[in-house]
Amino acid sequence: MDKNDIKQAGLKVTRPRVEILKLLETSDKQHFSAEEIYHELLKNNIKVGIATVYRVLTQFVSAGLIIKHNFEGDQCVFELDRGEHHDHMVDMKTGKIVEFHDEIIEQRQKEIAEQYGFELMEHSLTLYGEFKQ
Amino acid sequence: MDKNDIKQAGLKVTRPRVEILKLLETSDKQHFSAEEIYHELLKNNIKVGIATVYRVLTQFVSAGLIIKHNFEGDQCVFELDRGEHHDHMVDMKTGKIVEFHDEIIEQRQKEIAEQYGFELMEHSLTLYGEFKQ
DNA sequence: CTCAGTGCAAACTATTTGCAGATTT
DNA sequence: AAATCTGCAAATAGTTTGCACTGAG
């Protein structure tokens, strides 16, 4: 129910917002940079400005609809927040991104934070390398 | 032996290089952004251009003398590479950075990479939150 | 009809580059 | 002296903002 998500975020249901959310929901690719989203929309004959893409993405992040990642390199990537936390493996040659989740690591992070008197709010774990073959 | 490190990297031993390395070696702070280094040098009456700071930092990273981190936020930070790998906890209020190392997590990362047929080359783990009290 | 949202162009921030003069070896 | 290095200013890349017009409710 994408349109409801937009409404519940206190935002009006506009073309760019619906289309950006739809793209993130229906694409087989999970991670997009702002530029990629922009070009994808243009390719589908949806006229938007790059500024709107950035604005909408920022709003969606605030609303908790999507997540923003700061991998190595110059630009950020965005993905739909499907509620299940996960970390990433990034192929440094191809740019391919694969998600994983590991309870042992999650647990250890909490223990370490505890040890240091650190109130853990979020974390980011990214493995860089190459997928074999 | 900082000057030797510079030489061994195939770089000439110049004022800016020596001073940047010295700052990173002797400061109680471990992590600096390029701007911070720049201002720190100016404060110590060492005239450099910001472009030189960026150039030298890039060269030092290539030479393996320092490490570059991409924490959340706009700018990168640099720290001396003391050879011992570690991850980071970042206080989102104060900006304070504390290092930690956990063998269990390191081990799990290797196992996960193995499972996925992923040749692990590096990784980045950062905990975000606040130090209590 | 009203106010939020949009596209455009200009502004901004972090970083990089071209170049002529300065430094290291 | 030769080659690298530097500071400056201009360029770049990603992202943000001001503004007048457009569109959702």
Side-chain angles (χ1 to χ4, degrees):
Chain A
M1 260 293 75
D2 26 331
K3 298 196 180 174
N4 263 341
D5 290 333
I6 296 175
K7 258 181 210 156
Q8 279 169 17
L11 301 170
K12 288 187 178 175
V13 179
T14 62
R15 190 90 200 281
R17 285 175 182 155
V18 171
E19 294 293 348
I20 288 174
L21 209 46
K22 190 161 81 184
L23 174 63
L24 291 171
E25 269 179 336
T26 62
S27 171
D28 30 298
K29 202 160 130 59
Q30 302 250 53
H31 303 79
F32 288 86
S33 70
E35 289 283 342
E36 283 172 335
I37 290 172
Y38 174 62
H39 288 115
E40 204 59 34
L41 295 190
L42 291 191
K43 202 190 294 174
N44 299 0
N45 281 309
I46 298 153
K47 271 191 65 184
V48 270
I50 184 71
T52 299
V53 173
Y54 276 107
R55 257 181 309 225
V56 168
L57 288 172
T58 303
Q59 292 159 341
F60 282 1
V61 169
S62 303
L65 296 177
I66 65 176
I67 304 173
K68 178 181 186 174
H69 297 292
N70 241 268
F71 298 144
E72 275 187 14
D74 31 12
Q75 43 187 50
C76 301
V77 300
F78 300 84
E79 70 172 316
L80 211 61
D81 186 349
R82 293 185 155 85
E84 300 133 16
H85 166 77
H86 55 259
D87 298 307
H88 299 86
M89 290 188 288
V90 179
D91 189 308
M92 298 173 80
K93 274 264 180 58
T94 66
K96 184 182 177 186
I97 298 173
V98 171
E99 306 175 348
F100 71 91
H101 178 86
D102 185 75
E103 257 321 309
I104 296 176
I105 291 182
E106 300 290 322
Q107 191 50 41
R108 276 305 285 156
Q109 289 177 6
K110 286 178 197 155
E111 290 168 15
I112 292 162
E114 186 74 25
Q115 263 174 47
Y116 281 81
F118 186 71
E119 189 186 348
L120 185 55
M121 301 170 75
E122 51 178 298
H123 72 264
S124 141
L125 169 59
T126 309
L127 310 185
Y128 296 94
E130 286 173 34
F131 287 100
K132 291 167 190 162
Q133 180 229 127
Chain B
M1 261 294 76
D2 25 330
K3 298 196 180 175
N4 264 342
D5 289 333
I6 296 175
K7 258 182 209 151
Q8 279 169 16
L11 302 170
K12 289 188 176 174
V13 179
T14 62
R15 190 88 201 282
R17 285 175 181 153
V18 171
E19 294 292 350
I20 289 174
L21 209 46
K22 189 161 82 183
L23 173 64
L24 291 171
E25 270 179 335
T26 62
S27 171
D28 31 296
K29 204 160 130 59
Q30 301 250 52
H31 303 80
F32 288 87
S33 70
E35 288 283 342
E36 283 173 337
I37 290 172
Y38 174 62
H39 287 115
E40 205 58 36
L41 296 190
L42 290 191
K43 202 191 295 175
N44 299 0
N45 280 310
I46 299 153
K47 270 191 67 182
V48 270
I50 184 71
T52 300
V53 173
Y54 275 108
R55 258 181 309 226
V56 168
L57 288 173
T58 303
Q59 292 160 342
F60 282 2
V61 169
S62 303
L65 296 178
I66 65 176
I67 305 174
K68 178 181 183 175
H69 297 292
N70 240 269
F71 298 145
E72 275 187 15
D74 31 12
Q75 41 187 53
C76 302
V77 300
F78 301 84
E79 69 172 316
L80 211 61
D81 186 349
R82 294 186 153 86
E84 299 135 15
H85 166 77
H86 56 258
D87 298 307
H88 298 85
M89 291 190 285
V90 179
D91 189 307
M92 299 173 81
K93 274 264 180 59
T94 66
K96 184 182 179 186
I97 300 173
V98 171
E99 307 175 347
F100 71 92
H101 178 86
D102 186 77
E103 258 320 310
I104 297 178
I105 292 181
E106 299 291 321
Q107 192 49 42
R108 276 306 285 156
Q109 288 178 6
K110 286 177 196 154
E111 290 169 15
I112 292 162
E114 186 74 25
Q115 264 175 47
Y116 281 81
F118 187 72
E119 190 187 348
L120 185 56
M121 300 171 75
E122 51 179 299
H123 73 263
S124 142
L125 169 59
T126 309
L127 310 185
Y128 296 94
E130 286 173 36
F131 287 100
K132 291 167 191 163
Q133 177 234 124

